[in-house]
Amino acid sequence: MELVKKNIHMDRLKCKASTQITLEDDINISDSRPDAAMLILNRGNVSIDELTVTNDHVTVKGKLAFYVAYTTDGGMRIDFAGMDGYIPFKEDIIMEGVESGDNVHVKWELEDLTIGLINSRKLSVQSIISLYLSCEVISDAETAVDLYHDEPVEYRKKSLDIAAMAVKKKDIFRIKEEVEIPGSFPNIDELIWEDLRPQEVEFKVLDDKISIQGEVKAFFMYRSDGDDKEICHHEVVLPFSGSIECNDVYEGMIPEISWMITEKETEIRPDFDGEDRIVTFDLLVELDVCIYKEDRIDILSDVYGVNKEVTAIGSDALFRRLKCRAYGKNKMGEHLVLSDGQVPVKKILHSNGSLQIVSHDIVEDGIYIDGIANLQVLYETNDEKSPYGVVRTMIPFNYTLQADDINNDCVYRLQAEMEQLAVTAIEPTELDVKAILCFRSNVYEQMHEKIIDELIVAEPDLDKLGGLPGIAVYIAGPGESLWDIGKRYYIPIAQLKEANEMADDEVRAGDKILIVKNQV
């Protein structure tokens, strides 16, 4: 008697940890840059440079890179300048259950970035960074799916719809695009600020590859090469598409892919006439790729012997199946009023936003999400001494992502993105903000199933068999099946059905089942 087994790849969360770190430093403006009069724009990015994993402990080394644009005090003329810098960090994190050699994935969120002027040559940088660590492992569930046998034996199977892990890997994708400044704009002398944001990024599994498409919202501020060194700005949305190789996948598989920008390069180059009018950029996108395959398997769920004593030795296994693909959009509208110290708005130049998920919980038929929309709005003023202003604000939101039949045994990864952000000035001191908040998640149900690892075959217990009646009428109890009765009396299912002239296996409580004992 031999079990036929099938290997099923499943991923599971081995352990996780999170921490929040505060970075604070005073940064000198480099000697090559002019004095600062007022800070206008800032942004930050976190890079993880090194992970050291030991038992129950992870050390994370990285840095916060920050970028600022500021006005300079040029006497009769207000000019612009930009600079960047970084603050390194090293954090020791307790992560119970992790072992040396485990693959730990780190995600980060920049909870707060505050940059102020101490004086014209020094910046104060304060930041709060949240780090989320997870260790996921691939476990092979060697599952019995059939049975080879030479002697009478009864076995039954159970059908399971599962989402098995097909591919788990890290990869990179490059977005290389160029922007030509419109003909009515002057040539570029120096790039002061750029904001490059991929949005509406979508992934689709095809045969042996994953297609990627989306768009990049690109904003540039530059100093012209004319005598007046005019400050110019240009914004454009560029579609992009491409693919990465991924062997052994095919259309219809389920992608679970998260991404982040880890490197960015911009360059000014001449057009065909030799004039500096083209900005090229290269974004390195790091992908965390998980691909699931939906499958139906019939696992061996129970075995009993007819002429032999057969004992099934089993263990618990955890499977997943796709319960639903949840996707929802929520309109966000907000009315903002400038504070007393802010210069009134003449014209909106650029706005950007990002979503920060504060908490999410499973509720009836959905996932309740609490979060914050972080906005930064650059605008032009009528004040010659302060020609630019910026509004930074946080707008709270909540939303229930519909996910039918979700329960606390389900697992999911939540993705959130802001689309179609539009900021308009309805009054010099009042702004109208509109955006679409998009949420998506694949929800998986976790199923605990007993699988058969081995069979122990022994000679029948003659005393036990001798105690069974040669012929009897058995009255089925609540929840009992023909299988339960056959297993109790060591009788094949087919023999029970024949003796009782049954067309199927259905048994109801109170049914009288004729038992005719097997002769061993």
Side-chain angles (χ1 to χ4, degrees):
M1 204 173 296
E2 182 182 353
L3 292 171
V4 179
K5 295 187 176 183
K6 180 179 180 179
N7 237 3
I8 301 171
H9 300 294
M10 305 297 295
D11 65 327
R12 65 177 179 86
L13 180 64
K14 182 178 180 181
C15 52
K16 63 180 181 179
S18 63
T19 191
Q20 195 173 75
I21 60 177
T22 300
L23 299 179
E24 185 174 355
D25 202 358
D26 295 339
I27 306 294
N28 291 323
I29 295 175
S30 61
D31 294 339
S32 62
R33 311 309 293 164
D35 289 355
M38 183 173 68
L39 298 183
I40 300 297
L41 295 169
N42 68 58
R43 68 173 184 270
N45 188 67
V46 176
S47 61
I48 306 300
D49 301 324
E50 184 181 337
L51 280 178
T52 304
V53 181
T54 55
N55 292 346
D56 297 325
H57 184 268
V58 178
T59 300
V60 181
K61 290 183 180 180
K63 57 179 173 286
L64 165 69
F66 63 88
Y67 313 84
V68 296
Y70 60 89
T71 59
T72 65
D73 189 357
M76 297 295 294
R77 173 185 171 83
I78 302 297
D79 202 356
F80 252 97
M83 70 161 285
D84 56 25
Y86 69 90
I87 301 175
F89 64 83
K90 176 182 177 183
E91 191 73 10
D92 294 318
I93 304 165
I94 300 298
M95 190 172 181
E96 293 184 2
V98 74
E99 299 174 281
S100 179
D102 282 348
N103 184 24
V104 174
H105 178 64
V106 181
K107 291 183 65 176
W108 58 267
E109 282 190 7
L110 194 54
E111 305 284 355
D112 180 65
L113 176 63
T114 302
I115 302 179
L117 271 179
I118 297 175
N119 56 51
S120 62
R121 303 301 304 169
K122 184 174 289 188
L123 304 176
S124 169
V125 181
Q126 298 175 323
S127 176
I128 299 175
I129 302 170
S130 291
L131 299 177
Y132 302 94
L133 286 69
S134 62
C135 177
E136 293 184 337
V137 295
I138 303 297
S139 58
D140 288 338
E142 195 176 40
T143 306
V145 296
D146 212 337
L147 178 65
Y148 290 143
H149 58 94
D150 296 325
E151 52 189 78
V153 68
E154 287 290 306
Y155 62 91
R156 64 177 176 179
K157 297 182 178 181
K158 180 178 182 178
S159 292
L160 296 178
D161 292 320
I162 64 169
M165 173 63 70
V167 174
K168 186 173 179 63
K169 67 171 185 173
K170 292 187 181 296
D171 212 323
I172 59 171
F173 177 73
R174 304 193 87 100
I175 303 174
K176 295 183 178 182
E177 298 290 343
E178 63 178 38
V179 177
E180 185 168 4
I181 300 302
S184 59
F185 283 47
N187 295 343
I188 302 171
D189 176 59
E190 180 187 4
L191 195 63
I192 298 172
W193 184 263
E194 78 278 347
D195 187 12
L196 305 168
R197 292 177 182 259
Q199 56 189 22
E200 300 186 35
V201 181
E202 294 185 353
F203 302 93
K204 186 177 181 181
V205 181
L206 303 174
D207 292 347
D208 291 323
K209 65 181 179 181
I210 299 170
S211 74
I212 306 169
Q213 64 179 19
E215 58 187 31
V216 176
K217 186 178 180 181
F219 172 76
F220 303 100
M221 180 178 285
Y222 70 92
R223 181 181 295 106
S224 72
D225 67 352
D227 292 337
D228 58 357
K229 299 296 181 181
E230 180 185 359
I231 302 299
C232 303
H233 26 77
H234 178 56
E235 185 169 75
V236 64
V237 176
L238 300 172
F240 69 86
S241 62
S243 64
I244 60 170
E245 291 185 4
C246 195
N247 296 330
D248 301 322
V249 301
Y250 51 84
E251 191 169 356
M253 285 187 170
I254 308 166
E256 287 275 6
I257 302 174
S258 59
W259 60 272
M260 67 172 57
I261 303 295
T262 55
E263 293 181 19
K264 176 182 67 175
E265 292 183 3
T266 55
E267 182 182 4
I268 301 169
R269 69 173 184 82
D271 61 10
F272 289 114
D273 297 325
E275 298 180 324
D276 288 337
R277 302 189 58 80
I278 295 177
V279 180
T280 65
F281 61 86
D282 184 357
L283 304 180
L284 183 66
V285 185
E286 184 178 287
L287 305 175
D288 187 16
V289 179
C290 294
I291 307 295
Y292 292 93
K293 171 188 174 183
E294 287 190 280
D295 199 3
R296 169 167 282 192
I297 61 169
D298 295 325
I299 68 170
L300 207 61
S301 61
D302 201 2
V303 179
Y304 70 84
V306 175
N307 296 333
K308 299 280 188 177
E309 189 75 39
V310 180
T311 304
I313 306 298
S315 60
D316 289 326
L318 184 65
F319 299 96
R320 288 184 183 179
R321 76 173 180 91
L322 181 65
K323 198 168 186 68
C324 66
R325 299 188 183 192
Y327 180 72
K329 292 186 175 183
N330 187 38
K331 292 182 179 180
M332 182 185 75
E334 192 74 14
H335 184 77
L336 301 179
V337 178
L338 270 61
S339 61
D340 293 340
Q342 290 182 295
V343 184
V345 177
K346 174 186 175 183
K347 179 183 176 182
I348 301 294
L349 300 180
H350 174 62
S351 59
N352 61 57
S354 61
L355 297 186
Q356 178 184 333
I357 303 299
V358 176
S359 64
H360 51 89
D361 298 289
I362 292 176
V363 295
E364 185 176 358
D365 290 333
I367 303 170
Y368 182 78
I369 304 164
D370 256 322
I372 296 170
N374 296 292
L375 299 181
Q376 182 171 249
V377 182
L378 174 67
Y379 64 90
E380 194 177 71
T381 78
N382 282 318
D383 189 338
E384 293 183 356
K385 294 183 178 180
S386 300
Y388 296 95
V390 65
V391 175
R392 296 184 183 87
T393 187
M394 296 185 295
I395 301 174
F397 69 85
N398 57 71
Y399 178 72
T400 299
L401 178 61
Q402 190 72 25
D404 294 340
D405 298 325
I406 192 172
N407 57 60
N408 289 325
D409 289 330
C410 292
V411 295
Y412 59 89
R413 294 172 183 168
L414 187 63
Q415 296 183 0
E417 186 178 26
M418 181 185 295
E419 297 179 358
Q420 301 177 33
L421 173 63
V423 182
T424 55
I426 55 177
E427 295 288 346
T429 58
E430 297 181 28
L431 304 179
D432 186 59
V433 178
K434 288 184 170 59
I436 303 294
L437 310 186
C438 301
F439 307 91
R440 68 182 70 203
S441 179
N442 293 335
V443 179
Y444 300 89
E445 181 181 17
Q446 298 194 112
M447 303 176 293
H448 296 267
E449 297 288 341
K450 186 174 182 179
I451 60 175
I452 296 176
D453 298 316
E454 62 174 315
L455 298 175
I456 298 176
V457 182
E459 292 300 318
D461 186 337
L462 297 181
D463 291 336
K464 183 177 180 181
L465 290 176
L468 297 175
I471 187 169
V473 174
Y474 182 83
I475 299 176
E480 279 193 309
S481 65
L482 207 59
W483 175 272
D484 299 323
I485 298 168
K487 186 175 182 178
R488 174 179 292 192
Y489 289 95
Y490 297 82
I491 299 175
I493 301 298
Q495 182 178 321
L496 281 174
K497 291 171 67 175
E498 181 180 0
N500 290 274
E501 298 181 348
M502 298 173 66
D504 53 44
D505 294 354
E506 185 178 353
V507 175
R508 292 180 294 272
D511 283 355
K512 296 178 180 179
I513 306 298
L514 177 63
I515 306 295
V516 180
K517 183 179 177 181
N518 266 344
Q519 299 298 318
V520 181

